[in-house]
Amino acid sequence: MPLNWKRVRKVAFWVLIVSFIAFFLFAYLHYLDFKKVLLTEASDRATSILGQEVHIANASISLPAAINLYDITIRNPESFSPGQLLRIRRLRLDMRLGRFLKGDFSFKNIIVYSPELTLRKNDRGRWNISDALTRLSPQKSTTRYEVDEFR
């Protein structure tokens, strides 16, 4: 029985299409898992540095080397009523990728969209800024940051 090449090409074509769809679906699902872990790690690290709960709702990476963080909230310390100290709708970090890969933090610009800062005092006269956050301001950092534009 002779081979029907037209049918073989048709079957091979559909196998290739289904393989591509399966590959991209698999890659997308892993991207979502990676993004969830990245957001959790970034929120936890910021919380440990600032001493107040930080939540980052979403993130995206765009070319060339820009990171967007969405709905960032820094909550009030535990001794205050529930609420937030700071809310940023979007934070865009345009990085220099070559310098970042070498371990330097070099930004073309940092853009903060719609920041909302709410300062409150409790009945003891303390502000809703944690002790860890206030200790950060006078410390000199050993890490060098370069930012061309901040708005």
Side-chain angles (χ1 to χ4, degrees), residues 34-85:
F34 172 73
K35 185 173 152 181
K36 192 182 304 181
V37 168
L38 180 68
L39 288 173
T40 303
E41 284 292 320
S43 296
D44 291 347
R45 182 150 186 201
T47 298
S48 69
I49 290 171
L50 298 178
Q52 289 180 230
E53 184 182 348
V54 177
H55 177 72
I56 303 170
N58 202 356
S60 68
I61 299 172
S62 56
L63 297 176
I67 299 173
N68 293 292
L69 303 174
Y70 299 95
D71 292 325
I72 303 166
T73 54
I74 300 176
R75 302 204 193 287
N76 282 333
E78 292 177 6
S79 61
F80 282 82
S81 63
Q84 56 195 23
L85 167 68

Side-chain angles (χ1 to χ4, degrees), residues 15-29:
V15 166
L16 187 64
I17 293 295
V18 169
S19 297
F20 274 126
I21 291 172
F23 171 76
F24 284 113
L25 181 63
F26 181 74
Y28 181 70
L29 292 175

Side-chain angles (χ1 to χ4, degrees), residues 46-135:
T47 298
S48 69
I49 290 171
L50 298 178
Q52 289 180 230
E53 184 182 348
V54 177
H55 177 72
I56 303 170
N58 202 356
S60 68
I61 299 172
S62 56
L63 297 176
I67 299 173
N68 293 292
L69 303 174
Y70 299 95
D71 292 325
I72 303 166
T73 54
I74 300 176
R75 302 204 193 287
N76 282 333
E78 292 177 6
S79 61
F80 282 82
S81 63
Q84 56 195 23
L85 167 68
L86 177 66
R87 181 178 182 279
I88 299 173
R89 186 175 58 88
R90 178 177 162 207
L91 177 67
R92 180 178 173 89
L93 306 167
D94 288 323
M95 305 175 69
R96 289 185 180 85
L97 189 58
R99 303 267 306 267
F100 180 71
L101 293 175
K102 293 178 185 174
D104 295 333
F105 289 101
S106 180
F107 300 96
K108 293 176 192 168
N109 57 39
I110 298 174
I111 304 170
V112 180
Y113 295 91
S114 303
E116 298 173 16
L117 179 65
T118 307
L119 292 174
R120 293 196 175 121
K121 280 188 173 183
N122 65 6
D123 53 348
R124 294 183 311 212
R126 295 197 55 192
W127 290 99
N128 61 338
I129 299 174
S130 71
D131 293 334
L133 187 56
T134 55
R135 280 193 303 267

